[in-house]
Amino acid sequence: MNVHDSEKLCGIMERKGFLETDNPRNADIIIFNTCSIRQKAEQKFYSELGRVKSCKRRHPHVKIAVAGCIAQQEGKNLFRKASHVDLILGPQNLHVLGDWAERGDISVATRDNPFIALQDIPAKRFDTVKAWVTIMYGCNNFCTYCIVPYTRGRERSRPSERILSEVLNLGDQGYKEITLLGQNVNSYRSDIDFPGLLGKLDMIPGIERIRFITSHPRDLSDELIEAMYELPKVCEQIHLPLQSGSDRILKLMNRGYTYKDYLAKVERIRKRIPGISITTDIIAGFPSEKDEDHSRTLKALDQIKFDGIFAFKFSPRPGTKAALMPESQPEIVKSERLTEILDIQDEITERINRSLKGTVQEVLIEGPSKTDIGKVTGRTRTNKIVNISDPTFPHGEIAVVEISCGRKHSLEGIPVRI
Ligand code: 5AD
Ligand code: SF4
């Protein structure tokens, strides 16, 4: 979602006639797009912000904009923390960037924006084959650890005709894959619901693959599972954040499901769509998490056998309920638990990848491999990275390959000549 916000920021600037540069020393305007989901992301931003201070000292005409969730969270405070900042731009107000860039004054745009879903912002897309498409903004879930409902505001769905016209356009431009974006795509509601939207998007010419993130396990419906089964372009992949295997912790997190509920959904989806790839998010060291809770998470990983996970140490976010909860866990405990989680999962991922040897997969080619110039790289419908030892496959083509080897982070494939 943040990457796509950056594409929108670039799109706005391009429309106003600005040119992009990689080097902050050459820039008249420097825009940071920030994330505050965990403290680490915040720290990274503050050290980058410190670095550009000298650009402004050397060239006082340089303007600095801070966009995204840190901007929203800090508001005017950011001027106090960093006097070289000119614009504070929350994620619901990206549209004001263009006019500000022409004026260049000192300004704050952090208001709640009920019209966000009706304001289409032109994106300058970073890829020519895969495109992000926002279908809804904000989140109403208020998981107790999460800053997103505070920074991105309430759930607001884009009207389906706007999404359809954006995707029709993408198909015309030669895009092959779209990923629909929303904090909780299952609560997409306009004139149609999310499965209905998928049905319409599946008919759009040129687009061959449809993915979406993120699904909330509580709201994952049978209708969605059925739509995924029936619609040929919807890929066999789902990201379904579990967060913890302990019911006590899930309750403290306000997730709205038990581990048993989650497991039942996984079983239902695997039964209907065999071979589907399921990935998840896990938080290690939530306040009051005991060894016993942590063991339940490890057991869940072992039982479910996710294709991959994203795991994070709990990071207290100012203003959230969890930040005030008692029994915060020491860093060392969080680190140890995170390592254990990642180690167990690494083994599972590698085992799953190895088991794919000999299978035939459709791979959408993304370009030359970063590590081997004799190879191209792409992804299966299940979103696994495949390196192919034939560098002649063009970007954007779908190659049919036989998997010759499965590794921890990727697969190797040999083209199958049909
Ligand atoms: N601390 C650690 N991880 C968090 N996430 C969200 N908020 C926090 C936090 N305060 C994780 C969740 C979510 C993912 C996007 O980031 O696992 O699913
Ligand atoms: Fe945050 Fe996702 Fe929970 Fe919304 S559903 S509050 S974005 S973790």
Side-chain angles (χ1 to χ4, degrees), residues 37 139-143 145-149 183-184 214 216 243 255:
I37 194 98
C139 183
N140 290 349
N141 286 308
F142 289 93
C143 302
Y145 51 80
C146 188
I147 195 76
V148 169
Q183 303 297 342
N184 179 12
T214 292
H216 193 298
Q243 313 296 4
R255 289 292 287 173

Side-chain angles (χ1 to χ4, degrees), residues 348-365:
I348 296 170
T349 304
E350 191 171 358
R351 222 176 305 138
I352 294 175
N353 285 351
R354 270 202 254 121
S355 75
L356 293 172
K357 186 177 167 181
T359 60
V360 173
Q361 306 276 343
E362 286 175 17
V363 178
L364 178 61
I365 306 298

Side-chain angles (χ1 to χ4, degrees), residues 37-38 145 243 281 283 312-315 317:
I37 194 98
R38 286 172 292 275
Y145 51 80
Q243 313 296 4
D281 292 341
I283 297 178
F312 317 98
K313 286 192 269 185
F314 170 71
S315 171
R317 302 289 67 215

Side-chain angles (χ1 to χ4, degrees), residues 75-95:
K76 284 199 293 273
N77 274 341
L78 205 50
F79 290 139
R80 237 174 294 142
K81 285 190 179 172
S83 58
H84 54 306
V85 170
D86 298 282
L87 173 66
I88 294 167
L89 186 66
Q92 300 176 56
N93 290 280
L94 301 186
H95 60 282

Side-chain angles (χ1 to χ4, degrees), residues 234-253:
V234 177
C235 291
E236 298 74 33
Q237 177 225 341
I238 192 159
H239 185 64
L240 201 59
L242 169 64
Q243 313 296 4
S244 169
S246 155
D247 287 346
R248 194 180 67 82
I249 298 294
L250 286 172
K251 193 150 192 223
L252 284 174
M253 288 176 165

Side-chain angles (χ1 to χ4, degrees), residues 3-14:
V3 171
H4 189 41
D5 279 351
S6 295
E7 291 183 332
K8 290 177 185 171
L9 293 169
C10 290
I12 294 171
M13 295 301 279
E14 193 174 57

